[in-house]
Amino acid sequence: MMPRPAFPVGPLWMIGCGNMGGAMLRRWLDAGLDPATVTVVTRSGAGVPDGIRSLRAPPVDERAATLVLAVKPQQLDAVAPMLASIRPRLLVSVLAGVEEPALAGRIPAGAVVRAMPNLPVAIGRGVTALFSSSADAGVRDAATALAAPLGLAEWIADEGMFDAVTALAGCGPGFVFRFADALAAAGTSLGLPQDQARRLALATLAGSAEMALTADEAPATLADRVASLGGSTREGLNVLDRDDALVDLLRRTLAASARRNAEMAAAAR
Ligand SMILES: NC(=O)C1=CN([C@@H]2O[C@H](COP(=O)(O)OP(=O)(O)OC[C@H]3O[C@@H](n4cnc5c(N)ncnc54)[C@H](O)[C@@H]3O)[C@@H](O)[C@H]2O)C=CC1
Ligand SMILES: O=C(O)[C@@H]1CCC=N1
């Protein structure tokens, strides 16, 4: 296995540390990020990992080399003024929708990287999409080094694709968790005890995903392998496939999320 790239040299400040910031930071610390180089700035002080300096305003005793912005898009204008004179080498924003010029215009930095992580980064099995208009190799290496311990990291060439990537991978775990519940509920409706149905649903999802990730064949081929001719899986697949029911449902699901990302982008322009 390739050695993981080293974390960028500190100090690293994280602004906002809720569901996503907290998941990323905990994973970075597990992966060897030096806690002494990290400062978290939040409104409430809640949710900051033990052993990390937690403040309500940016520190005055150091300058951030890397600034990770992890507040909600709607909170950007509340935090931007206190960050406007920091001028970090690298600003990494995980804000859905909010575009690079909107970030650079509010928080001057050597370079801006948009990152779109998802919740499984907490266990190092997430997806992080990255975009920057900067071609600087140092900037790209630093962002890649931050994303690598979180799971799969992919650079996106066109910022216009970022709302789509966000809908698929950023929001995706929410849809998968909902699917897991629906699969379990469907099992319960056939008579299985609720806790057993949930265990079976989650293990089935995990095993199928792992198998699809490592298989040489496409998921469609794997589905055909489950569906024996004249058997019961085919009957079930016929329900999902009729009039492209599942594909259509997911198309509308992702389109709704992408639309909301575009609205948040427009609000921040
Ligand atoms: N939750 C998720 O799965 C994902 C979230 N994101 C992005 O991550 C960002 C954060 O989302 P969540 O973590 O879910 O939200 P959250 O509400 O859990 O966390 C927000 C954090 O910002 C802090 N905050 C709010 N106002 C502040 C202020 N004025 N000054 C300092 N800190 C302040 C809060 O104290 C909290 O720590 C969003 O921009 C979202 O688009 C991106 C990908 C996935
Ligand atoms: O729901 C949201 O707006 C964020 C973006 C991706 C996942 N959560």
Side-chain angles (χ1 to χ4, degrees):
M1 211 194 277
M2 293 273 287
R4 211 180 262 150
F7 285 110
V9 176
L12 181 150
W13 297 359
M14 175 174 274
I15 315 300
C17 188
N19 290 308
M20 184 40 66
M24 294 166 74
L25 183 52
R26 282 187 178 78
R27 179 63 194 154
W28 285 336
L29 293 168
D30 283 350
L33 178 64
D34 179 359
T37 64
V38 181
T39 299
V40 169
V41 178
T42 61
R43 199 170 38 182
S44 65
V48 180
D50 289 344
I52 295 293
R53 175 161 77 157
S54 169
L55 302 175
R56 311 294 162 95
V60 289
D61 58 350
E62 64 176 27
R63 274 279 169 93
T66 303
L67 192 60
V68 179
L69 197 56
V71 296
K72 288 181 189 286
Q74 296 85 343
Q75 296 156 344
L76 174 61
D77 281 322
V79 299
M82 65 182 181
L83 303 171
S85 60
I86 307 293
R87 296 185 181 272
R89 270 204 295 275
L90 176 63
L91 170 65
V92 178
S93 163
V94 304
L95 276 61
V98 182
E99 294 151 316
E100 189 178 337
L103 294 160
R106 286 172 172 86
I107 307 173
V112 177
V113 172
R114 287 184 67 186
M116 184 46 57
N118 66 13
L119 210 54
V121 299
I123 57 164
R125 296 290 306 269
V127 170
T128 306
L130 298 163
F131 170 81
S132 181
S133 64
S134 168
D136 185 296
V139 166
R140 289 179 167 260
D141 288 351
T144 301
L146 286 168
L150 305 179
L152 174 69
E154 293 220 3
W155 283 92
I156 306 299
D158 173 6
E159 189 172 15
M161 285 293 100
F162 223 71
D163 289 344
V165 161
T166 300
L168 174 63
C171 308
F175 309 143
V176 173
F177 295 141
R178 191 65 102 240
F179 181 82
D181 273 340
L183 191 59
T188 305
S189 74
L190 289 179
L192 289 172
Q194 214 173 13
D195 58 334
Q196 190 172 50
R198 172 174 293 188
R199 279 196 305 278
L200 297 183
L202 291 178
T204 300
L205 273 173
S208 307
E210 195 65 45
M211 187 174 180
L213 263 176
T214 51
D216 292 330
E217 294 114 323
T221 309
L222 295 175
D224 282 342
R225 287 237 219 113
V226 187
S228 336
L229 205 62
S232 55
T233 311
R234 180 62 57 200
E235 287 301 309
L237 284 175
N238 286 346
V239 175
L240 295 179
D241 295 346
R242 193 169 301 131
D243 300 323
D244 276 342
L246 181 62
V247 171
D248 182 57
L249 180 64
L250 287 175
R251 240 186 230 140
R252 286 186 286 120
T253 302
L254 264 58
S257 290
R259 215 165 28 243
R260 180 65 192 135
N261 291 326
E263 286 170 6
M264 292 192 285
R269 267 179 214 133

